[in-house]
Amino acid sequence: MSRVLKIIVNVILICAIATAAALLIPSVLDVPMAVVDDVNMDTNLPVGSVTYAREKQASQVEAQDELLISQEGSRYVYEVQSVNGETCTVVDNRSGDGTTQEITIPSVVDEVVITIPFIGYASMALRSTEGLIIVGLAVVFVIILFILAEIWKKDEDDDEEDEYGREDNGEEDEAPAMSRRESRRQAKAEKKRAKKEARAARKAGEEDEEDEEDDIRIAEPVKKKDRQQPAKENRKETETLAHPGDLFAETESSMASAIADMMEQDQQNAASDPEMEEEEWKPAMPVRTKEELLKKAQADGDEPEVRDDEVSGVTLIDYSDIL
């Protein structure tokens, strides 16, 4: 809406400037003109019109020329029908009656160039009180339109800022509304950045492809060595796993040492506690002899191996081979 009001204001200002120029400039340059700014003027021209003319020598007057005749406050435009030496026959086509008359041609005549309607009303307005009031009201009207256009423009700018505003922790940060030129510049800058990034990505991709090709070429002669190394490692692992007896031996020795430590600790606790000396000492685990364990294993159909741990001095019944 602000744009429409601004257009109206601009049109009014242009018309006012053009009207003032049309009335003032010809009078300053001594251009022949006839302003019909009085209703009671004796003329065959329309009220409010301005007729512009140019000076012409009498010898150059020809038929169908329109002449502006000014006599004692009257303004008439006649069309020449024929030229008879120093006189000519003219007809009044502007008033519509078509009367003809013969007039004497002066040495210099005014030939009509153009007649512009309505602009003579500005001169009429400046000559009367009512006209001055109308001109003042028109100026006030233009000022009001200009103020309304600026107010609506601010409202539209505020709406655009609200659209571009950001919310951060419940507070709105108003982003300044960008003009069209700034938005275009920003779009061009973004396009240039995108092109640069695309070029850089292409170069990086080409370099990566070249590096991959070099790595493939270098890796081809090394494949045989890489294949031999895991084979050797697998062999070593199979060799270590091929002797489970060593693992069982380690577990047996660790279990035997743990049991011996537990028995020594129980004996020390019993020695330090006098109440335990009076009572009969009973181990936490049932104590059985080697013969009892072997008889039980044979009754179950098993034949375990008997081993003596030299470190802890404990005899173990080995079920590893049976398992």
Side-chain angles (χ1 to χ4, degrees):
M1 190 64 185
S2 63
R3 293 180 181 177
V4 176
L5 293 177
K6 283 188 176 181
I7 291 171
I8 294 171
V9 172
N10 292 331
V11 169
I12 294 172
L13 292 175
I14 291 170
C15 292
I17 293 170
T19 302
L23 293 174
L24 297 175
I25 293 174
S27 61
V28 173
L29 299 177
D30 294 331
V31 176
M33 59 182 295
V35 181
V36 184
D37 52 0
D38 190 357
V39 179
N40 299 321
M41 182 181 290
D42 188 8
T43 182
N44 61 350
L45 296 171
V47 179
S49 64
V50 178
T51 302
Y52 298 94
R54 63 181 177 179
E55 294 181 352
K56 192 174 185 179
Q57 298 296 325
S59 60
Q60 297 177 353
V61 176
E62 298 177 354
Q64 296 182 352
D65 288 344
E66 287 187 341
L67 302 179
L68 177 62
I69 306 300
S70 300
Q71 294 177 353
E72 297 178 358
S74 63
R75 301 287 189 274
Y76 283 93
V77 175
Y78 296 113
E79 183 179 350
V80 179
Q81 283 187 339
S82 62
V83 179
N84 301 319
E86 294 180 357
T87 63
C88 64
T89 303
V90 294
V91 61
D92 184 4
N93 292 328
R94 298 294 181 99
S95 60
D97 55 2
T99 58
T100 60
Q101 58 180 337
E102 189 172 348
I103 61 173
T104 302
I105 302 173
S107 60
V108 178
V109 296
D110 296 332
E111 183 183 5
V112 176
V113 177
I114 188 172
T115 299
I116 301 175
F118 305 119
I119 62 175
Y121 286 109
S123 178
M124 293 175 65
L126 296 175
R127 290 186 178 184
S128 62
T129 305
E130 294 82 359
L132 292 173
I133 293 171
I134 293 171
V135 172
L137 293 175
V139 172
V140 173
F141 178 71
V142 171
I143 294 171
I144 292 171
L145 288 179
F146 181 78
I147 293 170
L148 290 175
E150 290 297 326
I151 291 171
W152 273 328
K153 183 180 178 181
K154 289 181 180 179
D155 293 337
E156 291 176 357
D157 293 339
D158 292 337
D159 294 337
E160 290 179 358
E161 289 177 359
D162 293 337
E163 290 178 358
Y164 288 105
R166 298 177 180 175
E167 295 181 357
D168 187 8
N169 295 326
E171 296 179 356
E172 295 182 356
D173 296 332
E174 295 182 355
M178 293 189 298
S179 62
R180 292 182 179 177
R181 293 181 180 177
E182 292 178 354
S183 61
R184 289 177 183 174
R185 290 177 183 175
Q186 187 174 2
K188 289 181 180 179
E190 290 178 355
K191 288 181 181 179
K192 290 181 179 179
R193 290 177 185 173
K195 289 181 180 179
K196 289 181 180 179
E197 291 177 357
R199 291 175 183 173
R202 289 177 183 173
K203 291 181 180 179
E206 292 176 357
E207 292 177 357
D208 293 337
E209 289 178 358
E210 292 177 357
D211 294 337
E212 289 178 358
E213 291 178 356
D214 295 336
D215 294 338
I216 290 169
R217 292 173 183 174
I218 295 169
E220 283 179 355
V222 185
K223 284 183 179 178
K224 294 180 180 179
K225 296 180 180 179
D226 294 339
R227 290 177 181 173
Q228 293 175 358
Q229 289 179 357
K232 293 179 180 179
E233 292 177 356
N234 292 329
R235 289 177 184 175
K236 292 180 180 179
E237 290 179 356
T238 52
E239 289 176 358
T240 54
L241 294 174
H243 301 284
D246 296 338
L247 295 174
F248 286 114
E250 292 178 358
T251 54
E252 287 175 2
S253 61
S254 61
M255 289 176 67
S257 60
I259 291 168
D261 293 336
M262 290 174 65
M263 292 176 68
E264 289 179 358
Q265 188 175 2
D266 291 337
Q267 291 177 359
Q268 290 176 1
N269 292 330
S272 61
D273 193 358
E275 294 181 356
M276 291 183 65
E277 291 179 356
E278 296 177 357
E279 295 179 358
E280 184 180 359
W281 180 78
K282 294 181 179 180
M285 297 176 63
V287 179
R288 295 181 182 179
T289 61
K290 178 176 67 175
E291 290 77 7
E292 291 177 354
L293 292 174
L294 289 172
K295 287 181 181 179
K296 184 178 180 183
Q298 290 175 359
D300 294 335
D302 298 327
E303 293 181 357
E305 183 180 357
V306 179
R307 291 185 182 184
D308 295 329
D309 190 2
E310 296 178 355
V311 178
S312 59
V314 178
T315 303
L316 299 174
I317 307 299
D318 186 6
Y319 284 85
S320 60
D321 294 335
I322 297 170
L323 294 174

